[in-house]
Amino acid sequence: MTQLEKILKKRIFIFDGATGTMLQGKDVDKSKPPEMVNIEHPEWLQEIGQKYIDAGCEALETNTFGSSRIKFSEFFAEDKIKDKIHKVNFDGVKLLKKVAKNKALIAASIGPTGKLMYPMGELTFDEAVAAFKEQIKPCVDAGADIIIIETMSELSEIKAAIIAAKSLLINKQNKPIIATMTFQTNLRSLVGVTPEIAAVVLSSMGLSAIGANCSLGIDGMVEIAKQMKSVSVTPLICQPNAGLPQLIDGKTVFPATPSEMAKGAKKLVSVGANIIGGCCGTTPVHLKAMKKAVKGVKPKQATVINNLLVASRTKLVAIGSGNPVAIIGERINPTRRKDLSEKVLAGDFSIVREDAIRQVEAGASILDINMGIPGADEAYLMRMAVLEAQSAVDVPLMIDSSNPEAVEAGLKAFSGKAIINSISGEKKKLNTLIPIARKYGAAILALTVDETGVPKTAEGKLAIASKIVNLAVKAGIRREDIIVDCVVSTVAAEPEAAMETLRAIGLIKKKLGVATILGVSNVSHGLPSRTTINATFLAMAVAQGLDAAIANPLDLRMKEGMAVSKLLSGFDRGAKEYITYAMANKTVLKTETPEKKTLEALEVCKDTLEEKIARAVMEGNKSDIIPLVEQALSEGVAPVDVSNRYLIPALEKVGTKFQDNEMFLPQVLMSAEVIEAGFKRIKKEIKASETVTGKKIILATVKGDVHDIGKNIVSTLLQNHGFNVIDLGKNVPTKTIIERAVKEKADIIGLSALMTTTVMEMEKVIKSLKDLSINIPVAVGGAVVTQSFADKIGADVYAKDALDAVKNLKKFFKL
Ligand code: B1M
């Protein structure tokens, strides 16, 4: 236990407030990264540090938030970056150490890279770990007392930073690592992570404190703190900003006063905060008042967590202790699935996507992913399968492999807290897989098997389970993060197998206090009508207290067994779920239920083409979109209509779901990719115009805006109507647009913007053209742009959609 953790058991600890806010008014060179102040003006930061110490702060954060290779590459040439990173981070710590002496600890601040993680963006997990390691190492070398990873939005990125920090600190110096995320007004991070999910994932990574910074001012932070505390035993750090910033007379103003922040600090401690600090807008005066307000207040007791909690980026699943038995979908497994093996080996993972979607629709709350194909590169297949499943459904995953490389590949690709399936009692497995679970913060499935095989008695199973649980707990894995598989052999060979396994469930739960799980279908190997045996065995196991089952949720008998078990074990109040299930499956249940029929029964077969396209877009299903677009074209739908009638409305539905928090950024991104693939196919069909207009248009999505689907459609249609289009892409600065338009002697500039926050960039372009006396007309469009807005900013042409753009430009040029 670190010194800080010991302090946190007794009292509240105080971090400092904002550095950026305190630097306002200084002549910071905005053309350089703000961290260059560490080298150019260390005295400014020392003066700020001294003020925070005088205010009673016990930890000072360094000005190293963005000093990673990824951010610095925007400012410095490749050969200079390494030295700059070292110096900025090293000096950032050293300069504060001089001020702090022994009065405060120095916490090295590590912020996000600013890039999206793969597959949302280009940054891979390993690249992120390397960049963070390069940033943190000089901080450690300079003597940082704490590493604080902060303002993160994405779980993969925060995990990469934690792993980088751990790789430098662990076994060397017992220094605390703290990690915080930041949340928006919808109480989700930018990519949809809730405070609860963040807490579940971070708490399993063995940190000294976890929490939130910046975000929503005090009231929002209180709500975030409550949620995080409800699912986590790790000490909580809260660093709120001084309210949401307001723009008054062109200046950013943070509204919360020191006395308001002091009241808020008290509230934060009352809901469980152990460390209080401040973010944007807070000053030494705020922190002094906050410290005074919580002086002598005892920290709230840690929450008791009885469940195994696992999470995907956007969904939390609780197993055990008062929750209905969780179904873990087993179908993504090449065993006896030739179709799956053949497809994934050929690089086609659409089958994983389909299996994932169907199993979740059929009631799986977690999915098992197994890519154990003999002779194949299992680590690669596991990574791809996890990425595919994760983009298709939002449930947590179970990484099913005994190959350590494949397990690591799966855990790196999964953005959440997964379960490793499985760690048996074999020494080699225990020694390699427990450290991996610890490193990535995964829960473990403990398999009651060892070098001698599957024990025949409940006591034998308990002995192996005890060995695994003890070793895992000793390595730092929490007891609640272990689920024991009591392993059933087939009753065809061992008549006692089922009853001994059922007895083991009760025994292991009672003696070890852990959740239990079963791969149910083993019980029926070699017997006819297996699903009947499996479903009955499942119901018997649920009666013994089984918490989760690895099963095929598409198997109707199994579903039936589940529905009945839930009803009989008292989880289905008013028999609601059972009745819904029974009514929906009335006709199917009368018949035999081989798997094929079950699948058909669950299949949505009668979708219209429009619905199928909408479904493919919403599910981010790239492999279906081309055949569907081709079907529409072959049915005589005009290419432009395929886009306007099918693709765009589907994407609009995605937008609405995004707004309503039913879909999240990674899913929107997948949908956008599907649309792009569909449009690429349509593009081939749009016939080029015979006539050439002779007009040249510079087209761009404005600075700050990355939406380019609409702009690309406009580009295609204009080209096909004889315009010479030079497309500058997205997020294009005003300067680049104007310079290029002048260079190319463009006849018109076309601007696209999709957000209320970026449309003003259009006005900037028009104003700059005027200021520079450049006489090139401007056309504007994009979802939030209207005719009246276009008139207001002085645009020459407005178009509501791509066809309108062609029509209006032709009119403008009198063509
Ligand atoms: Co985002 N996004 N997005 N997004 N996204 C919107 C626009 C949003 C309305 C969703 C919502 O909240 N309901 C919202 C904006 C809210 C606001 O106005 N403030 C939003 C947000 C908030 C964001 C982020 C900030 C999310 C976040 O990170 N928290 C982020 C922004 C990043 C940034 O830009 N800095 C973000 C990111 C993304 C993705 C990257 C995931 C992805 C874009 C992928 C890509 O474009 N390559 C994405 C998507 C797909 C959308 C929605 C769902 C769809 C946009 C789209 O492509 N529409 C969108 C919701 C929606 O619009 N329903 C949403 C289809 C396209 C054909 O229409 O672009 O309007 P449109 O183009 C039409 C016409 O407008 C016109 O013709 C086109 C064809 O008919 N037109 C012109 C367009 N440009 C023209 C130029 C012309 C003339 C006509 O003259 C030159």
Side-chain angles (χ1 to χ4, degrees), residues 184 190 644 648 651-652 654-656 658-659 665 668-669 672 676 699 704-711 713-714 730 750-752 754-757 779-784 799-802 805:
Q184 310 179 124
L190 195 65
N644 287 349
I648 297 178
L651 195 57
E652 273 162 7
V654 171
T656 310
F658 178 56
Q659 202 160 23
L665 204 59
V668 180
L669 203 66
E676 297 216 39
L699 200 59
D705 201 320
V706 302
H707 298 87
D708 66 355
I709 296 174
K711 186 248 330 155
I713 298 176
V714 171
K730 57 196 173 190
L751 300 176
S752 179
L754 267 266
M755 298 195 293
T756 46
T757 44
V780 292
V784 284
K800 70 175 184 331
D801 58 32

Side-chain angles (χ1 to χ4, degrees), residues 351-390:
I351 189 163
V352 171
R353 165 171 292 272
E354 280 153 28
D355 275 339
I357 293 171
R358 305 292 165 250
Q359 288 186 98
V360 172
E361 282 174 350
S365 51
I366 296 175
L367 293 182
D368 185 83
I369 311 281
N370 182 314
M371 286 288 126
I373 303 172
D377 179 352
E378 193 184 344
Y380 167 76
L381 294 180
M382 180 62 87
R383 174 171 182 262
M384 298 308 288
V386 166
L387 289 171
E388 191 73 29
Q390 177 170 244

Side-chain angles (χ1 to χ4, degrees), residues 29 32 80 98 180 196 227 356 386 397 423 463 510 526 538 574 657 683 710 742 756 769:
D29 184 348
K32 295 178 181 164
K80 299 268 178 338
K98 279 191 196 143
T180 67
E196 274 182 333
Q227 288 194 23
V386 166
L397 301 182
I423 303 185
K510 192 168 158 216
L538 175 67
K657 284 193 172 282
K683 220 168 144 180
V742 171
T756 46
L769 285 167

Side-chain angles (χ1 to χ4, degrees), residues 8-10 229-230 232-235 269-274 298-304:
L8 297 182
K9 287 203 173 294
K10 295 187 206 136
K229 200 73 185 178
S230 71
S232 153
V233 293
T234 310
V269 171
S270 74
V271 297
N274 303 83
K298 285 268 164 260
K300 202 173 170 224
Q301 286 291 309
T303 322
V304 178

Side-chain angles (χ1 to χ4, degrees), residues 31-42:
S31 67
K32 295 178 181 164
E35 291 80 10
M36 286 303 285
V37 172
N38 296 357
I39 299 171
E40 291 170 4
H41 290 287

Side-chain angles (χ1 to χ4, degrees), residues 25 126 166 234 257 264 301 438-439 549 570 572 583 687 756:
D126 289 338
K166 278 188 178 179
T234 310
T257 62
Q301 286 291 309
R438 183 83 183 113
K439 178 174 173 188
D572 185 8
M583 297 314 285
K687 299 278 174 295
T756 46

